[in-house]
Amino acid sequence: MISLNSNILVTGGAGFIGSNFVLQWLTEQRTPVTVLDKLTYAGNMENLASVQKDTRYGFVCGDIVDGAMVRRLLDKQSPAAVVHLAAESHVDRSILGPAEFIRTNIVGTFQLLEAVRGYWMELPTEQRSAFRFLHVSTDEVYGSLKPTAPAFTEETPYAPNSPYSASKAASDHLVRAYYHTYGLPVLTTNCSNNYGPRQFPEKLIPLVMRNALKGLPLPVYGDGKNVRDWLYVEDHCDGIRTVLERGVPGQTYNIGGRHEVSNIEVVRQICTIMDELKPTGKPYASLISFVKDRLGHDRRYAMDISKIERELGWLPRETFASGLRKTIHWYLDNPEWVEHVTNGSYQEWINMQYIPTSPVGAVSQ
Ligand code: NAD
Ligand code: TYD
């Protein structure tokens, strides 16, 4: 159990999941949070604007690859735990440019682990045994499932297929090694696809919503039948807190929504809710456009979450229908957030990723 009197350090806390985690933590827990974030294109101070004045919140702009800086920060803040979310997180970007994924996800996690190990070894005995390093990872490390294959368990062998998932798998292995070799009290969570407020509109759900509002094509890769297991981001954050408080060091925990759905179905459901909340006189589904498939596109992910349910009593609270509706409401209520994160380099990304691809088929409704 982590101490309620000392703070935690959250890497990547200005990103999508990190900011939702920090906001939830400050609402649910008593302890202070320091965020360490490099503020890449995916990091956004606006995500944390509502807690700027909270005296329990602190922000440091920095790179996890800079181990000496991380060590100084740890010595200064004396956190009882580190929750590690900083990463390059978008599969398509990893296909176009893997180098940054190797740098942050592998080298960065290594440097962070080294800094944490040095800090942890010098803690007084009681604090050393209570300390936790929680590494947030993904279901994508397990590879791709056949349509009727059982869902991934914590025992499923790693078989990553994209530079993103390979870099996350490498970081998971490093975290595991620091437990087995040095006894660092680590926890790893592997989670399925998240959605919810503050997700950068390069990922499927916010990208489709943004395009729909602008009357732009809604790009669906390949035949649209790739399946993902979707989890509302606040449920994921709640799962991370559960594992942090009650997880057994050295263990890994799968987190997921128990909700498998194909991409085309996700896009259709967004269109249906948008037709109701923001009607234009023309169904949004008429904007659906099948485009060239992602290279090496994993067909199906599904998570068996029975371990975290059985051992820690965690289950998702939100259904996909209720979570999606909440998410769409948030994007409709926060158009300025979308405007701010999509000016600058965003358009360059969209041009590189989508403009050269032409639709490859019409949509059957
Ligand atoms: P994100 O891309 O929205 O945010 C990543 C954050 O990390 C950003 O704030 C960015 O500025 C920061 N960052 C990047 N490189 C950094 C560096 N070198 N040093 C310090 N900060 C750096 O990502 P997300 O979707 O919030 O994902 C967070 C974590 O959860 C990642 O580790 C990701 O692999 C994992 N995860 C994500 C999902 C998902 O569906 N989004 C699912 C499972 C696991
Ligand atoms: P994404 O949100 O990028 O998450 P991940 O690749 O980590 O699963 O993509 C979710 C699914 O949606 C994935 O199968 C790829 C697909 N997709 C599209 O069909 N069109 C798009 O424009 C995007 C970004 C993703």
Side-chain angles (χ1 to χ4, degrees):
M1 196 82 155
I2 66 161
S3 161
L4 287 184
N5 297 320
S6 44
N7 68 1
I8 62 164
L9 179 69
V10 176
T11 71
F16 164 49
I17 302 171
S19 60
N20 280 286
F21 179 81
V22 169
L23 300 184
Q24 188 183 81
W25 181 274
L26 289 171
T27 308
E28 303 286 332
Q29 309 286 142
R30 286 194 216 146
T31 54
V33 178
T34 303
V35 169
L36 170 63
D37 197 295
K38 189 184 169 185
L39 293 179
T40 67
Y41 78 93
N44 180 3
M45 290 305 280
E46 245 177 286
N47 291 345
L48 296 163
S50 64
V51 294
Q52 277 309 323
K53 296 208 172 94
D54 191 320
T55 50
R56 296 169 302 160
Y57 160 76
F59 182 85
V60 175
C61 185
D63 189 333
I64 54 166
V65 172
D66 183 353
M69 176 277 295
V70 176
R71 178 63 203 270
R72 284 195 301 276
L73 182 62
L74 289 165
D75 288 342
K76 188 163 165 235
Q77 300 289 341
S78 301
V82 173
V83 179
H84 177 35
L85 293 123
E88 289 294 331
S89 68
H90 188 35
V91 173
D92 293 318
R93 285 188 195 253
S94 84
I95 293 167
L96 281 179
E100 208 49 38
F101 288 71
I102 306 306
R103 184 186 175 279
T104 284
N105 300 0
I106 305 180
V107 180
T109 300
F110 162 68
Q111 292 291 358
L112 180 65
L113 281 165
E114 273 296 275
V116 168
R117 180 167 75 94
Y119 162 75
W120 169 75
M121 276 169 36
E122 290 178 13
L123 287 175
T125 314
E126 207 175 305
Q127 286 174 38
R128 195 160 61 227
S129 56
F131 181 82
R132 297 288 182 268
F133 179 89
L134 191 149
H135 175 59
V136 177
S137 191
T138 166
D139 59 357
E140 305 193 24
V141 296
Y142 298 122
S144 184
L145 287 168
K146 296 264 181 286
T148 56
F152 302 129
T153 72
E154 289 80 359
E155 312 305 321
T156 303
Y158 274 32
N161 292 318
S162 72
Y164 164 66
S165 54
S167 68
K168 290 298 290 186
S171 66
D172 294 7
H173 291 324
L174 284 168
V175 170
R176 176 191 158 91
Y178 273 64
Y179 173 75
H180 283 273
T181 307
Y182 305 112
L184 186 70
V186 305
L187 297 154
T188 297
T189 54
N190 293 88
C191 189
S192 62
N193 283 61
N194 283 218
Y195 67 98
R198 302 175 199 86
Q199 186 168 31
F200 193 76
E202 63 186 354
K203 307 278 167 66
L204 178 68
I205 290 179
L207 183 127
V208 162
M209 271 187 281
R210 177 178 183 270
N211 282 17
L213 285 170
K214 290 187 173 290
L216 296 169
L218 312 180
V220 176
Y221 297 165
D223 63 5
K225 293 189 180 141
N226 301 67
V227 170
R228 298 292 182 263
D229 171 8
W230 291 94
L231 179 69
Y232 190 62
V233 65
E234 287 183 14
D235 278 333
H236 183 193
C237 296
D238 185 54
I240 295 171
R241 283 191 301 119
T242 302
V243 173
L244 188 60
E245 286 174 350
R246 302 202 290 279
V248 177
Q251 292 289 306
T252 69
Y253 297 89
N254 281 356
I255 303 182
R258 280 196 181 141
H259 189 86
E260 285 184 58
V261 54
S262 68
N263 294 337
I264 184 66
E265 186 51 33
V266 169
V267 175
R268 286 206 176 109
Q269 287 189 35
I270 296 171
C271 290
T272 305
I273 300 174
M274 298 274 291
D275 284 338
E276 179 198 323
L277 298 179
K278 192 102 182 157
T280 62
K282 196 172 143 204
Y284 284 99
S286 64
L287 295 170
I288 293 174
S289 168
F290 287 91
V291 300
K292 201 174 80 182
D293 208 354
R294 172 186 281 173
L295 293 177
H297 196 175
D298 284 340
R299 195 65 175 164
R300 174 176 166 240
Y301 304 140
M303 286 297 248
D304 180 336
I305 58 168
S306 50
K307 178 177 174 181
I308 190 172
E309 180 187 11
R310 191 178 57 247
E311 295 185 7
L312 307 183
W314 177 89
L315 274 179
R317 292 193 190 134
E318 212 69 61
T319 64
F320 188 61
S322 64
L324 193 59
R325 190 167 276 273
K326 275 191 184 175
T327 305
I328 293 176
H329 272 293
W330 188 87
Y331 280 87
L332 291 176
D333 292 345
N334 292 278
E336 64 297 333
W337 183 93
V338 178
E339 270 319 300
H340 293 168
V341 300
T342 54
N343 56 26
S345 63
Y346 180 77
Q347 201 52 48
E348 283 165 35
W349 164 253
I350 294 296
N351 292 345
M352 212 155 39
Q353 175 68 6
Y354 295 96
I355 301 299
T357 66
S358 54
V360 293
V363 192
S364 53
Q365 296 296 316

